[in-house]
């Protein structure tokens, strides 16, 4: 079966319409000519054929004129119909090509696109019509595909880096434990050497356990929230500061809480871990005699938590990299007593609650971290585990 192009089908359709219209016009003209009464005027001085009156002669003459007219009409009308149909076919082919040209441009642009080249766009013609709307729709689709591929590549790169860093963090304590065991068992170890080896192995196991706990919590945060309950960031921050009071006193830190109600709906366990990690980092990476400030409140339909601390100076461009897993400072993994997962977990929990986080390096040293979560609407929930809808989504 011959497959016709859209241009050929459109041209044939237009030609068939012209042919049908011409045939109908010709047939209607023929029928009207047959029904029309032809009149003729005879010469009063003339003579009629024998046996025929003047009236009969006039009627016979009119019939003969009508027959001659109809017989001459059909060939001429048929010839005109053929000429008009041929002209309509040519014009239909040209018009169809003109109309379908933007579609050919869209098709050519689509064939040139690939996963590595998504920058080309289909030109939008004027005036605004269905084809220009189609071109705009295709361009919008290409924009979404390009953004999706960029986000996919970013996520894949982040996952590869996360996997490599996680493997390194887990391999380090394993290497430490195995080295301690191999060195101790190479010979005849004393009881003191065995105890020291057991202590090193226990420290390595505890480190791996903390890493795994952090990874599980990070994965849980990224998976979303199973249930939502009302909570107040001010109450959670006050509890976190009470738990860290002894550590802050040991480090000679001045704690400055400024807690105002900040109602949210979410998972309290994750919110407690988020604020606990922020307070822990603010104390861990502070300087002796420094300070720690914690603000809670509401602004622009969001419950806001802001924690700032003193500490070493951090370049402004590197502050945002601290949200990446296993990053402790200088934009790279640095061996410290921390795991490098604290702020990554904070960001994951904030995103799970449809919130946002901003990290800014302070001029005099330290960080200023602001977390904004959708504020809970006033009024108690209907049940304990039912979620009050956020006022700002």
């Amino acid at each position: 079966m011959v497959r016709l192009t859209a241009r050929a089908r459109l041209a044939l359709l237009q030609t068939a319409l012209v042919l049908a219209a011409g045939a109908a016009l010709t047939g209607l003209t023929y029928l009207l000519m047959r029904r029309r009464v032809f009149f003729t005027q005879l010469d009063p001085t003339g003579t009629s054929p024998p046996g025929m009156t003047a009236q009969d002669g006039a009627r016979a003459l009119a019939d003969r004129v009508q027959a001659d007219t109809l017989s001459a009409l059909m060939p001429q009308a048929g010839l005109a119909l053929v000429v008009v149909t041929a002209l309509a076919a040519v014009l239909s082919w040209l018009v169809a090509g003109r109309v379908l040209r933007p579609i050919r441009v869209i098709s050519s642009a689509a064939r040139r696109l690939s996963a590595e080249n998504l920058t080309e766009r289909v030109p939008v013609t004027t005036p605004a019509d269905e084809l220009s709307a189609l071109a705009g729709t295709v361009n919008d689709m290409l924009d979404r595909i390009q953004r999706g591929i960029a986000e996919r590549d970013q996520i894949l790169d982040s996952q590869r880096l996360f996997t490599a860093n996680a493997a390194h963090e887990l391999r380090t304590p394993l290497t430490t434990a195995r080295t301690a065991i191999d060195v101790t068992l190479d010979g005849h170890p004393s009881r003191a050497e065995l105890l020291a080896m057991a202590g090193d192995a226990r420290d390595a196991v505890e480190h791996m356990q903390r890493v795994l706990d952090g990874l599980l919590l990070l994965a849980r945060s990224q998976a979303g929230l199973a249930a939502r309950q009302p909570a107040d960031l001010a109450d959670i921050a006050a509890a976190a500061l009470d738990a860290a009071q002894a550590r802050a006193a040991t480090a000679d830190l001045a704690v400055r809480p400024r807690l105002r109600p900040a109602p949210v709906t979410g998972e309290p366990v994750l919110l407690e871990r988020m604020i606990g990690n922020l307070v822990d980092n603010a104390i861990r990476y502070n300087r002796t005699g420094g300070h720690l400030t914690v603000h809670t409140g509401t602004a622009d339909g969001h419950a806001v938590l802001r924690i700032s601390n003193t500490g070493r100076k951090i370049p402004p461009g590197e502050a945002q990299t601290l949200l990446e897993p296993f990053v402790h400072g200088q934009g790279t993994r640095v061996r410290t007593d921390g795991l490098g997962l604290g702020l990554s977990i904070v960001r994951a929990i904030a995103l799970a609650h449809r919130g946002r986080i901003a990290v800014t390096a302070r001029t005099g040293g330290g960080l200023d971290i602001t977390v904004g979560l959708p504020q809970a609407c006033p009024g108690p929930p209907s049940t304990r585990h039912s979620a009050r809808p956020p006022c700002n989504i």
Side-chain angles (χ1 to χ4, degrees), residues 37-94:
V37 179
F38 284 83
F39 296 96
T40 184
Q41 183 177 5
L42 299 177
D43 186 2
T45 59
T47 60
S48 300
M52 182 179 298
T53 64
Q55 184 177 4
D56 293 337
R59 183 178 295 108
L61 179 60
D63 292 340
R64 190 166 55 253
V65 170
Q66 183 181 23
D68 293 342
T69 303
L70 293 177
S71 61
L73 174 65
M74 292 306 298
Q76 298 297 326
L79 178 61
L81 183 60
V82 170
V83 173
V84 171
T85 302
L87 182 61
V90 175
L91 293 178
S92 298
W93 179 263
L94 297 177

Side-chain angles (χ1 to χ4, degrees), residues 161 165 169 281 285 312 318-334 336 338-344:
L161 179 61
N165 290 335
E169 289 289 332
N281 278 3
Y285 301 104
R312 71 171 186 86
E318 295 182 4
Q320 199 67 22
T321 63
L322 297 176
L323 296 174
E324 298 298 328
F326 303 108
V327 175
H328 301 271
Q330 292 84 33
T332 58
R333 289 187 298 107
V334 178
T336 68
L339 298 177
L341 289 172
L343 292 183
S344 300

Side-chain angles (χ1 to χ4, degrees), residues 71-220:
S71 61
L73 174 65
M74 292 306 298
Q76 298 297 326
L79 178 61
L81 183 60
V82 170
V83 173
V84 171
T85 302
L87 182 61
V90 175
L91 293 178
S92 298
W93 179 263
L94 297 177
V95 171
R98 179 74 176 181
V99 171
L100 296 177
R101 181 181 301 173
I103 298 180
R104 293 198 301 272
V105 173
I106 295 174
S107 179
S108 300
R111 281 195 299 267
R112 290 192 297 269
L113 294 175
S114 64
E116 291 76 19
N117 177 26
L118 291 174
T119 58
E120 187 172 354
R121 293 295 179 267
V122 178
V124 179
T125 59
T126 55
D129 54 9
E130 290 81 358
L131 294 178
S132 62
L134 175 62
T137 302
V138 172
N139 290 337
D140 293 339
M141 179 189 66
L142 293 176
D143 292 337
R144 291 192 297 270
I145 293 175
Q146 189 173 14
R147 288 195 300 268
I149 291 179
E151 293 175 358
R152 181 207 63 182
D153 294 340
Q154 183 178 3
I155 292 174
L156 290 178
D157 293 340
S158 178
Q159 288 179 344
R160 283 192 290 265
L161 179 61
F162 176 82
T163 302
N165 290 335
H168 182 85
E169 289 289 332
L170 293 174
R171 181 169 34 181
T172 300
L174 286 174
T175 304
T176 301
R178 180 166 183 174
T179 301
I181 294 173
D182 292 341
V183 170
T184 303
L185 297 181
D186 186 14
H188 302 282
S190 63
R191 184 174 184 275
E193 291 174 338
L194 291 175
L195 290 176
M197 177 198 69
D200 293 338
R202 181 185 61 187
D203 293 339
V205 171
E206 289 179 352
H207 182 77
M208 286 188 293
Q209 184 177 2
R210 287 188 289 124
V211 172
L212 290 176
D213 289 342
L215 293 177
L216 290 175
L217 183 60
L218 182 60
R220 177 185 172 187

